[in-house]
Amino acid sequence: MARHRTHSIDLKRQVAQDYLAGETLHSLARRHDQSRNLVRIGIQKFEAGAFDNEAGSGDRVPKAGSEARTKAEKRDYIRRHRPRGISVAEGCRLLGIARSTYYDKPATRIDDTALVETMATISDSFEAYGYRRMQAALRHRGFVVNHKNIRRLMREHGLQPRRRRRYIATTDGDHELLIFPNLAKDIVPDGPNQLWVADITYVAITAGFVCVAVMLDAWSRMVVGYAIGRSIDVRLTLAALRSAIEKRKPPPGCVHHTDCGSQYAAGRDRQALAEHSFVGSMKRRGNPYDNAKAESFMKTLKVKAVYLMAYETFENVGADLP
């Protein structure tokens, strides 16, 4: 009776690797004096990870074979044990994972200490930044962080936005002057000088306030005219309008949209609009959404420029804001 022969794990592994490298079953069976069926069984065991018993405990194959492994375990196994004759694509196919999983870089946890230090630096420079702007600023510095984590850290470390506000009304709608209808609500500009929007705001200084009137092109949201003054009256709004006309020279029919304040409803302002063939338009009283683009610009101006500078004099404002 023929004696039963045993083959080492190393030999079985080498046979399977030679097969996967391209050698045929017939050639392998002849070279190693084995039956083709035995060679085939060895290859199947190799693909299932059954020849890894000599590896450390972290590399052992579960009883269920490769199917019981997570994608991360399969990826790590391919990286450490892939034979030279097997490509990455073939190794991923054998273990049932996408090739992109092999190249995936494991996420590394960001140290909260370094993150908070960076957030504090940003907050010192931009004290009005909320969590959304903070997230964008961190991304520019190479930190990709979930917004919920940013909100938590800002709350725990006192980095909430700080805004200095002294509110004062800029719209005097309690008058009997004529009001233009709201034409802007039906206009979607597709080019420049079709719709201009205007608004007025205050800039706080040590001794009081500085008045700023701004004119925007609604299509590009570019500032086309502005004026700075010590008092809020029709002279301020006219100065902003005239600077915009001189700069852009709009065609007849351009819509001039404002709030319904007395400055914009004054006879001198209406006369200037008629002289330059503007079409007047005003938002409804108490509805800031009717002039949202101008309101949004004023908010951005305050947050990104005014609140950060803490102007002291009229001259400071006039030198910096333009």
Side-chain angles (χ1 to χ4, degrees):
M1 183 175 179
R3 185 179 177 182
H4 179 71
R5 291 183 302 170
T6 60
H7 301 282
S8 68
I9 295 296
D10 290 337
L11 177 61
K12 293 177 181 179
R13 185 186 294 113
Q14 185 61 49
V15 171
Q17 291 174 355
D18 291 342
Y19 170 77
L20 294 174
E23 191 170 349
T24 64
L25 283 174
H26 180 74
S27 174
L28 287 169
R30 290 189 60 184
R31 183 155 61 90
H32 295 285
D33 193 20
Q34 298 180 25
S35 67
R36 282 183 291 181
N37 188 47
L38 187 60
V39 173
R40 187 182 295 109
I41 292 173
I43 294 169
Q44 292 173 350
K45 289 183 177 181
F46 174 79
E47 292 178 343
F51 296 156
D52 300 330
N53 295 333
E54 295 179 358
S57 59
D59 295 331
R60 288 175 184 169
V61 179
K63 291 182 178 179
S66 63
E67 295 300 323
R69 294 188 176 191
T70 65
K71 289 184 177 179
E73 290 173 340
K74 293 178 180 180
R75 177 188 60 211
D76 293 340
Y77 177 82
I78 296 173
R79 287 175 175 173
R80 289 196 298 267
H81 302 293
R82 178 173 61 90
R84 183 174 298 179
I86 298 180
S87 65
V88 171
E90 181 67 13
C92 293
R93 185 190 68 79
L94 292 172
L95 291 184
I97 62 173
R99 189 169 58 176
S100 59
T101 304
Y102 175 86
Y103 294 105
D104 181 44
K105 183 179 180 181
T108 55
R109 180 175 176 81
I110 300 175
D111 182 22
D112 279 356
T113 303
L115 183 60
V116 170
E117 290 177 354
T118 305
M119 291 171 62
T121 302
I122 296 171
S123 184
D124 289 341
S125 300
F126 304 98
E127 61 183 20
Y129 269 19
Y131 73 91
R132 292 185 180 88
R133 285 194 171 100
M134 182 66 73
Q135 185 180 34
L138 287 171
R139 189 180 297 113
H140 284 302
R141 288 164 172 78
F143 293 92
V144 180
V145 190
N146 182 277
H147 71 280
K148 295 180 181 178
N149 193 24
I150 293 175
R151 294 181 69 177
R152 176 182 62 81
L153 293 174
M154 291 181 70
R155 182 174 61 252
E156 292 176 354
H157 296 274
L159 300 176
Q160 301 283 27
R162 301 180 296 275
R163 298 179 182 178
R164 299 182 297 274
R165 292 184 176 180
R166 284 187 285 168
Y167 176 76
I168 185 168
T170 57
T171 302
D172 177 18
D174 187 15
H175 57 78
E176 297 182 357
L177 300 172
L178 293 177
I179 301 298
F180 288 117
N182 184 3
L183 304 179
K185 62 183 178 65
D186 299 321
I187 298 176
V188 180
D190 56 7
N193 300 326
Q194 297 177 8
L195 173 63
W196 286 3
V197 296
D199 199 8
I200 307 171
T201 192
Y202 279 98
V203 175
I205 58 175
T206 303
F209 294 92
V210 175
C211 308
V212 180
V214 175
M215 188 83 62
L216 304 176
D217 188 312
W219 177 68
S220 63
R221 301 200 181 193
M222 180 182 294
V223 176
V224 295
Y226 72 94
I228 299 175
R230 299 181 184 273
S231 60
I232 181 169
D233 54 29
V234 68
R235 293 174 298 175
L236 184 71
T237 57
L238 275 177
L241 175 62
R242 286 167 179 160
S243 69
I245 293 172
E246 182 179 354
K247 180 180 179 181
R248 299 298 290 267
K249 297 179 175 55
C254 178
V255 176
H256 179 269
H257 183 70
T258 64
D259 59 37
C260 54
S262 59
Q263 302 88 350
Y264 294 113
R268 292 173 61 188
D269 198 273
R270 300 171 70 94
Q271 182 181 355
L273 294 179
E275 289 176 357
H276 295 88
S277 301
F278 280 93
V279 178
S281 172
M282 290 183 174
K283 73 180 186 68
R284 294 168 291 177
R285 292 184 180 181
N287 192 329
Y289 298 103
D290 286 350
N291 199 18
K293 292 181 179 179
E295 299 274 0
S296 176
F297 172 81
M298 290 302 193
K299 182 254 183 183
T300 303
L301 178 68
K302 291 288 187 70
V303 170
K304 290 198 171 184
V306 175
Y307 294 149
L308 302 179
M309 297 303 297
Y311 297 111
E312 296 183 355
T313 65
F314 179 90
E315 288 72 19
N316 294 151
V317 178
D320 186 69
L321 275 190

